[in-house]
Amino acid sequence: MLTLQNVVVRYGGIEALHGVSIEVPQSRAVAVIGANGAGKTTLAKSVMGLVRLTSGRVIFQGSDLGRLQTEARVRLGIGLVPEGRGLLPTLTVEENLLVGGHTQKTEIRSQLAHIYEEFPMLLPLRRRAARLLSGGELQMLAIGRALMARPRLLILDEPSMGLSPKAAGNVLEALQHLKHAGTTILLVEQNTNLAFEIADYVYVLETGNNVAEGTGEALTDSEFVRESYLGGV
Amino acid sequence: MSLFTTQIVNSLVLGGVYALLSISLTFLYSVSGVLQLAQADVMVVGAYCGYLTTLLVPNLVVGVLVGTLVTGLLGLAIYEGIFRWMRNSGHLILVAGLALSSLIEESLKVIFLSGHPVAYGQRVVGNGSSLGFQLLLLGLAVAIGAAFQIFLMRSRWGRALRATADDHETARLLGIPVNLMVRLSFVISSALAGGAGVLLAVIFQYITPFIGGQIEFTAVAVILFGGLGSIPGAIIGSFILATSQVFATTYLSSSYQDAITFGLIVLILVFRPKGLFSVSREVRA
Ligand SMILES: Nc1ncnc2c1ncn2[C@@H]1O[C@H](COP(=O)(O)OP(=O)(O)OP(=O)(O)O)[C@@H](O)[C@H]1O
Ligand SMILES: [Mg+2]
C-alpha cells in the first residue's frame, strides 16, 4: 500500500535520512523503531509531504506522491498522528474531532458517534478545551481525530511517548482494534515493546539508515537488535 | 439625556468600532502570523466606500455592506500582492505594513481632492448625535461582530480557521488547506475593518485619508492590552480605551486622549507584556 524507495531527506547541511526503503502492505501493521534522532519523525513527515525529499520516492497505492500537498495526501487516505499529538489547544475535544473530519463532505456526525463509541473516555470531555486534557486523553483524542478522516493508512509517531503503562496499554488496544478492522498501520516508535506487540514487520532505523528488518520474532532472536534495542534481554 | 449618559453611549459606540478593528487585527495575526499595520487604512477605504455608496443610496446599512465587500476584495489584493511573498520575513512584515499604509493614504489623497474632508449627508445620518442614531451605530457594530463570531464558532470553515490559528502544521495534517485559510483571513479581517470604517466615519462626522493614522495607535494599544490573538481581550481592551478617551475628552481636554492611549501602552508593556488576556500556549505537549 505504501512504499518508500531510497528516501533521502536533508535539512540544510544535515542529512537525516540516507536512502531508506520500507514497504507497508495493505491491512498490515509495520513498525519503524529507532533511538532519538534516528530519523523516525522525518520519515513520517516525508510520507505526509511535510518535508521535501532530496531524492527517492514515496508511493501510495501505486502512485508516486511526488510534491503533492499535505492536504491532498490526507484526501487520498493517509493520516498522521504527529509526535507530541498536534494539540489544537483552543478548540474543544469535539471541535478537534470535527476538524479532523474536515475533508469529509458527508456523514461527519455518524463518524463522530462512531469515534465516541471507540473512545468512550472522550464523550464526557467533549466540551472541554483540548489544552486541559491529560497526556493519555490527548493521545486518544489525537488518534480519534485522525480517524475522523477515515484514513486507509494511519501513521503514528511515538504515540506512547510520555504515557503511563496503563495509558500506553490503551493506545495498544486502540491500535489492535484498528488493525482488526482492516486499517493499515505504520507505527514509528522508540517503545520497542509496543512496536513488537502490534507490528507484523519491523524496520530498525539508526541515524538515518535502515540497519535491520524482519518479523518481530526474527528481530528478537537477532543478537544485534537484542543488544541495541531490547536492553540486552 | 444627561452628559454622563451621553458619554456612556458614545463610549460604547466608539468602543464597538475599536473592537471591530482590533478583532480584525488580532484574528488576522492569529491565523496568518501577520501584524498588518495598514489595517486602519483599509478601514478608511471602507469609510470612503460607505460615503460614495450613500451618495447613491442614502442608507447607512447599505453603506456598511458595500464597504465590507470592497475592503474584503482589497484584503485579497493585499495578500496576493504583498504578504503572500513575505512568509517568515519577520520584522520586514511590519515595514511592509507601514509602507502599505502610506501607499493607501497617498492614493486616497490623490483620488479625493487632496484629502479634503468629506462627510455623510444629512439624509444618511440625520441628527447624528441623537440617542436613537447612536444606538443604531452600536447595533450595527454588534451585528457585524456577532456575525463574525457565529461564523468563526459554528461553521466548518470557521473551525478550520481556528485550527489554522492554533497550529499550521496540525491543520495541514487534518487536510485543511492552510494557504487558503491564510488568504481567507485577509479577506475576512479586511472586510471587518472596512465595515467598522463606515461606522467610524459617522462617529468622527468627517472622513479624510488621515483618520486611519489617528486610530492606528489605539488599535495597536488595544491588542497589546488584550493580548495578541485574544478576541475577548480585544473587546474588553477596546471598551476600556474608548471609555477613557471619551471621558478624558469631555472632562479634561481632547489633547489628553493620545496621552492616555500611550500611557496605557507603556503600563501594559511594563506590567503585562503579554496582555491582560493572553492565550496560554505553553501547554503544547
Ligand atoms: N527541522 C530540522 N532542521 C534541522 N535538522 C533537523 C530538523 N528536524 C530534524 N532534524 C535532525 O534530523 C535528525 C533526525 O530527526 P528526527 O526528528 O527525524 O528524529 P527522531 O527519530 O524522530 O527522534 P526522536 O526520537 O527524538 O523524536 C536529527 O539529527 C535532527 O536533529
Ligand atoms: Mg521523533
Side-chain angles (χ1 to χ4, degrees):
Chain A
M1 175 170 247
L2 177 77
T3 309
L4 272 67
Q5 283 177 358
N6 294 313
V7 168
V8 175
V9 173
R10 223 174 262 145
Y11 294 111
I14 328 164
E15 195 167 289
L17 295 178
H18 311 292
V20 174
S21 299
I22 69 168
E23 175 77 45
V24 185
Q26 178 132 20
S27 300
R28 294 296 172 84
V30 168
V32 174
I33 60 174
N36 289 118
K40 305 183 297 297
T41 297
T42 305
L43 183 130
K45 286 186 169 178
S46 70
V47 178
M48 295 312 295
L50 290 172
V51 294
R52 186 175 282 189
L53 304 193
T54 303
S55 64
R57 308 207 300 162
V58 175
I59 296 159
F60 180 66
Q61 292 190 316
S63 56
D64 189 338
L65 297 184
R67 293 225 172 135
L68 206 61
Q69 296 265 311
T70 305
E71 299 104 79
R73 297 179 193 224
V74 174
R75 283 174 195 280
L76 284 180
I78 315 176
L80 169 64
V81 179
E83 185 172 26
R85 287 134 204 166
L87 175 59
L88 295 173
T90 67
L91 271 60
T92 65
V93 166
E94 183 147 311
E95 288 173 336
N96 264 276
L97 292 174
L98 288 172
V99 113
H102 185 83
T103 53
Q104 305 305 100
K105 286 267 182 292
T106 55
E107 291 175 27
I108 293 181
R109 291 285 154 183
S110 66
Q111 181 68 358
L112 186 65
H114 174 70
I115 297 294
Y116 282 138
E117 245 164 63
E118 291 281 311
F119 304 97
M121 64 189 316
L122 294 179
L123 191 56
L125 303 171
R126 58 206 276 222
R127 305 217 178 283
R128 192 174 297 179
R131 80 182 110 86
L132 303 174
L133 263 49
S134 77
E137 291 163 347
L138 211 48
Q139 190 63 66
M140 286 304 163
L141 175 59
I143 296 175
R145 188 178 61 188
L147 293 178
M148 282 296 292
R150 303 167 192 261
R152 280 181 261 229
L153 167 68
L154 185 66
I155 308 171
L156 301 103
D157 191 349
E158 301 210 40
S160 75
M161 187 169 59
L163 296 190
S164 69
K166 181 169 179 297
N170 289 340
V171 170
L172 176 63
E173 205 179 297
L175 293 186
Q176 258 153 358
H177 207 156
L178 269 177
K179 187 181 163 189
H180 287 134
T183 306
T184 311
I185 293 176
L186 173 58
L187 174 68
V188 157
E189 258 296 351
Q190 277 194 60
N191 180 338
T192 42
N193 291 330
L194 179 66
F196 283 125
E197 198 79 48
I198 187 85
D200 305 304
Y201 201 81
V202 179
Y203 293 86
V204 181
L205 204 60
E206 205 173 279
T207 54
N209 288 301
N210 182 359
V211 291
E213 61 178 90
T215 60
E217 298 91 65
L219 284 179
T220 13
D221 290 343
S222 124
E223 191 77 9
F224 164 75
V225 173
R226 272 217 315 263
E227 277 179 13
S228 319
Y229 295 93
L230 301 174
V233 285
Chain B
M1 213 178 17
S2 75
L3 178 62
F4 186 76
T5 322
T6 313
Q7 297 313 310
I8 292 286
V9 174
N10 288 347
S11 309
L12 286 176
V13 173
L14 187 62
V17 173
Y18 285 170
L20 290 178
L21 177 61
S22 346
I23 289 172
S24 107
L25 271 173
T26 226
F27 162 72
L28 179 60
Y29 175 78
S30 48
V31 176
S32 71
V34 173
L35 185 56
Q36 216 282 71
L37 290 178
Q39 199 76 334
D41 300 282
V42 172
M43 198 173 177
V44 180
V45 173
Y48 275 106
C49 291
Y51 165 72
L52 292 177
T53 307
T54 53
L55 292 180
L56 300 172
V57 186
N59 181 321
L60 195 60
V61 180
V62 178
V64 168
L65 284 177
V66 173
T68 305
L69 283 174
V70 175
T71 48
L73 291 175
L74 176 62
L76 183 61
I78 288 174
Y79 174 71
E80 295 294 341
I82 302 174
F83 293 102
R84 179 180 177 172
W85 315 103
M86 298 197 69
R87 290 292 180 81
N88 314 316
S89 301
H91 292 7
L92 283 179
I93 284 180
L94 300 179
V95 178
L98 291 175
L100 176 65
S101 172
S102 326
L103 179 68
I104 296 179
E105 223 173 88
E106 294 301 322
S107 313
L108 288 174
K109 228 162 79 181
V110 171
I111 301 170
F112 294 96
L113 313 158
S114 349
H116 196 74
V118 295
Y120 291 107
Q122 279 277 322
R123 281 197 303 159
V124 185
V125 295
N127 172 14
S129 49
S130 76
L131 178 64
F133 189 74
Q134 294 291 316
L135 291 178
L136 170 69
L137 289 183
L138 185 60
L140 278 172
V142 170
I144 296 172
F148 173 67
Q149 184 72 6
I150 289 170
F151 164 75
L152 207 55
M153 300 309 287
R154 297 260 169 262
S155 75
R156 172 167 173 258
W157 289 105
R159 244 183 341 252
L161 280 164
R162 284 189 292 136
T164 307
D166 270 1
D167 192 316
H168 278 203
E169 188 165 292
T170 301
R172 265 203 182 98
L173 283 175
L174 300 177
I176 295 170
V178 166
N179 294 339
L180 180 64
M181 292 299 103
V182 170
R183 183 176 294 139
L184 193 59
S185 73
F186 270 85
V187 173
I188 294 173
S189 75
S190 303
L192 266 180
V198 179
L199 302 181
L200 184 79
V202 180
I203 296 173
F204 278 16
Q205 298 178 349
Y206 67 90
I207 313 168
T208 70
F210 316 109
I211 56 173
Q214 289 177 38
I215 59 165
E216 208 150 76
F217 281 114
T218 304
V220 172
V222 162
I223 56 176
L224 287 176
F225 195 89
L228 204 49
S230 160
I231 289 182
I235 295 173
I236 295 169
S238 297
F239 285 104
I240 291 179
L241 263 164
T243 311
S244 37
Q245 287 180 355
V246 167
F247 278 85
T249 309
T250 314
Y251 294 105
L252 301 167
S253 142
S254 60
S255 48
Y256 284 100
Q257 192 174 314
D258 287 342
I260 287 196
T261 309
F262 285 108
L264 281 173
I265 294 188
V266 171
L267 282 179
I268 296 154
L269 289 179
V270 172
F271 291 106
R272 283 301 300 261
K274 285 189 178 162
L276 288 182
F277 305 91
S278 51
V279 191
S280 154
R281 295 259 160 123
E282 69 268 26
V283 219
R284 198 161 287 176

